[in-house]
Amino acid sequence: MDLTGLILRVTAERPHVLLATVPGGAAVRLAAERLLRARDWPQASTPAKADLLLVAGPDLPELRTALERLWRDMPAPRARVHARTPDEVEAALDSGRALLGSPAVQRESAALPGQEGGHREGEHGAQERHEGDDQAPGHDGDGGGEGETGRAGDAHSGPDGEHAPHDTGQDTEAEHGDGRQAPDGQVPDSQDPDGQAPDGQDADSHGDHGDHGDHGGHGEHGGHGGGQTDMPGGLPMAEPGADRDGLTLDRLHLPLGPFLADWPAGLTFRLVLQGDVVQRVDVDGPARPPDDAAVEAFWVQPWLRAASGEPVTAGEAVRRRAAAHLDSLGRLLAVAGWPAEAVRAGRLRDDLLSGAPRAAVAPRLERLTRRVGRSRTLAWLTRGIGVVTAQKAREAGAGGPAARADGDVTARYRQWLADIRHDLPRLEDPAPLDVAVEDSPRGPWSAEAPPSAALIALLPPLLEGAELAAARLVVASLDPDPEELVSRGVVEVARG
């Protein structure tokens, strides 16, 4: 009996996919998430849980080193594929499955010299395939998608969000939440209005967030860090330094990004930690494409086209904006440890992008906004974190939901919900889009000063002094879009 072949076939039947999205790959990520959900393939939140690495978006030389680290951190059997456009996703996934199930490919990969993990970029053509390659395409993606199995592949949801059997071997995204504790060790009310905690667990489960490998754990995988020298165990050595209370504590340098799950694509935050408190934040990125690469900002396409003189209806722009808010909401819910609602938000997002009429999405959207907006547990997890007043937002040049929310993470996700409800009646508005009147998803559109640039500038002071477990929630609640800064259309306008 060929036990190895059997194991590979079982693994390839339903691979855990790690999705690494680069700037310019938002449309590819969305296509991959839809297809993974349709196939019921779980998404992995870390390389250690992944079988298949799917790189989504254009080839950016600046990120190749980080991708190699990500690849080295994946255990065998494994496969790696690249989809540069949405049309390539299905072929890439099929190719990844074929590579993953091939004993010959896996043996050759394990035997390759030169790198820990047995792969050198370009040395083994069978390890990475693009659409159109002669050999069967191969792919594994995780961390950026939201399959029907849950955002991190941890909870399956059937039609209308009902729970279905799931792979109990997957850790849940609840590991990547907040980790806040009630005063005096009291457990907060863990019930939302419908009588269920956000992640299907009691509120105690959220206490695990504080130990969080999503912050420390992702730092272990060099591919997430994007350039910092690895020490034994995958983390840099700590060094002593004075903290804000005048004590001398170890300081740890930890990168977050550029390929964390539910993270701004290509963006890296380099943190200095003392204990679990962020002392300093430096921002790298986003990674910029070479001059001949065509990177387009997906979420602001209607505004870019209207600014270039192309006829665009207000309904098209409003639909794209509502879908963008649902995408941001789903990422926040995944980080907070509520994968079932993250999947529902993703389904609604995809329906809006596919042109579904208002009548088809309104009842489901109402259920989502009621359940998320009234959840006491989610509000408890996020209250008081990352406060951005309207004045502070204006001073930083930020507008849109971040400025209108005038508050913390809780206020911002509730503002997304309010904006989506406001936009719903206008999905078929035939009036021409007025860029000066209609905000883009993250604020008033300007190619010279993209709204995401202001959101990125807001983040370092918000994160300094915060606990590490809260940092991911703050980033997810602002959800800047690095594509706005590197899009070909934006760069051309900015250059005049």
Side-chain angles (χ1 to χ4, degrees):
M1 178 178 181
D2 182 7
L3 185 58
T4 299
L6 176 61
I7 292 173
L8 291 178
R9 287 193 297 274
V10 170
T11 301
E13 182 65 25
R14 189 169 176 267
H16 292 66
V17 179
L18 181 62
L19 188 58
T21 307
V22 303
V28 183
R29 170 178 67 85
L30 296 175
E33 291 175 0
R34 286 193 298 270
L35 189 54
L36 290 174
R37 186 165 59 245
R39 293 186 176 191
D40 194 27
W41 287 11
Q43 291 187 59
S45 56
T46 65
K49 302 174 184 177
D51 309 309
L52 182 61
L53 173 63
L54 173 60
V55 182
D59 183 20
L60 301 188
E62 189 176 333
L63 293 176
R64 287 175 183 167
T65 300
L67 284 170
E68 283 305 305
R69 287 201 188 92
L70 204 66
W71 170 247
R72 288 200 307 266
D73 285 340
M74 289 176 55
R78 60 183 182 163
R80 170 178 173 176
V81 291
H82 192 160
R84 293 179 173 83
T85 67
D87 292 340
E88 296 179 9
V89 170
E90 185 170 10
L93 288 176
D94 291 339
S95 174
R97 169 185 266 177
L99 290 170
L100 196 57
S102 170
V105 169
Q106 295 304 319
R107 280 195 299 268
E108 187 178 353
S109 174
L112 285 176
Q115 286 190 341
E116 176 188 359
H119 171 67
R120 178 178 292 126
E121 179 71 17
E123 185 175 333
H124 186 202
Q127 277 305 124
E128 182 170 356
R129 292 284 175 255
H130 313 291
E131 185 181 18
D133 288 354
D134 294 336
Q135 311 233 1
H139 159 130
D140 181 1
D142 174 340
E146 59 175 306
E148 187 167 29
T149 55
R151 199 58 173 233
D154 54 326
H156 293 261
S157 295
D160 300 324
E162 295 180 2
H163 290 288
H166 63 280
D167 180 1
T168 56
Q170 277 295 108
D171 291 342
T172 65
E173 190 68 10
E175 295 175 357
H176 303 269
D178 185 344
R180 305 179 69 188
Q181 296 182 358
D184 304 322
Q186 296 295 316
V187 176
D189 182 0
S190 64
Q191 302 296 316
D192 69 14
D194 295 319
Q196 183 178 1
D199 55 358
Q201 306 175 33
D202 59 27
D204 253 349
S205 66
H206 293 285
D208 294 336
H209 298 178
D211 292 331
H212 188 347
D214 190 2
H215 309 300
H218 279 297
E220 285 183 354
H221 304 293
H224 289 40
Q228 184 157 347
T229 302
D230 289 340
M231 300 297 288
L235 288 174
M237 295 293 289
E239 58 185 24
D243 79 341
R244 57 188 178 184
D245 298 321
L247 303 175
T248 300
L249 300 176
D250 283 344
R251 294 187 301 188
L252 180 65
H253 297 260
L254 178 69
L256 293 182
F259 296 121
L260 285 173
D262 302 294
W263 180 263
L267 202 61
T268 302
F269 286 3
R270 300 192 178 277
L271 311 183
V272 177
L273 303 175
Q274 286 187 304
D276 63 348
V277 177
V278 179
Q279 299 290 337
R280 191 177 75 243
V281 180
D282 296 315
V283 182
D284 290 350
R288 294 189 175 275
D291 292 339
D292 59 348
V295 172
E296 298 294 346
F298 177 79
W299 294 115
V300 295
Q301 274 300 302
W303 287 265
L304 290 173
R305 288 162 44 211
S308 68
E310 183 179 338
V312 180
T313 66
E316 180 182 351
V318 165
R319 183 179 290 272
R320 184 66 60 97
R321 182 171 62 200
H325 290 337
L326 284 167
D327 184 63
S328 296
L329 177 66
R331 289 149 69 92
L332 174 65
L333 293 173
V335 171
W338 202 352
E341 292 306 307
V343 169
R344 293 188 181 100
R347 287 188 181 129
L348 282 165
R349 173 203 66 194
D350 293 343
D351 288 346
L352 286 177
L353 291 174
S354 65
R358 176 180 181 273
V361 298
R364 295 159 53 213
L365 181 60
E366 179 59 30
R367 288 195 296 271
L368 176 75
T369 56
R370 182 177 64 248
R371 189 166 173 77
V372 173
R374 297 179 183 178
S375 171
R376 293 192 295 271
T377 304
L378 183 62
W380 176 82
L381 284 170
T382 56
R383 69 170 180 251
I385 297 175
V387 176
V388 177
T389 64
Q391 179 179 354
K392 183 188 295 185
R394 287 194 297 270
E395 291 172 352
R404 290 194 300 273
D406 191 21
D408 55 11
V409 172
T410 309
R412 287 195 285 277
Y413 75 70
R414 287 176 173 169
Q415 185 64 53
W416 284 335
L417 294 172
D419 288 353
I420 294 167
R421 287 194 299 265
H422 178 267
D423 284 340
L424 197 58
R426 303 181 55 209
L427 296 181
E428 282 83 32
D429 188 347
L433 171 62
D434 186 345
V435 176
V437 173
E438 295 287 352
D439 282 359
S440 71
R442 289 162 176 85
W445 178 249
S446 168
E448 292 79 8
S452 287
L455 297 179
I456 293 172
L458 275 173
L459 281 167
L462 287 178
L463 300 183
E464 290 173 359
E467 293 184 1
L468 179 58
R472 286 290 316 266
L473 288 168
V474 175
V475 175
S477 70
L478 288 173
D479 197 27
D481 180 12
E483 289 187 1
E484 292 182 4
L485 282 63
V486 300
S487 168
R488 176 178 59 182
V490 175
V491 172
E492 288 174 353
V493 172
R495 289 175 178 173

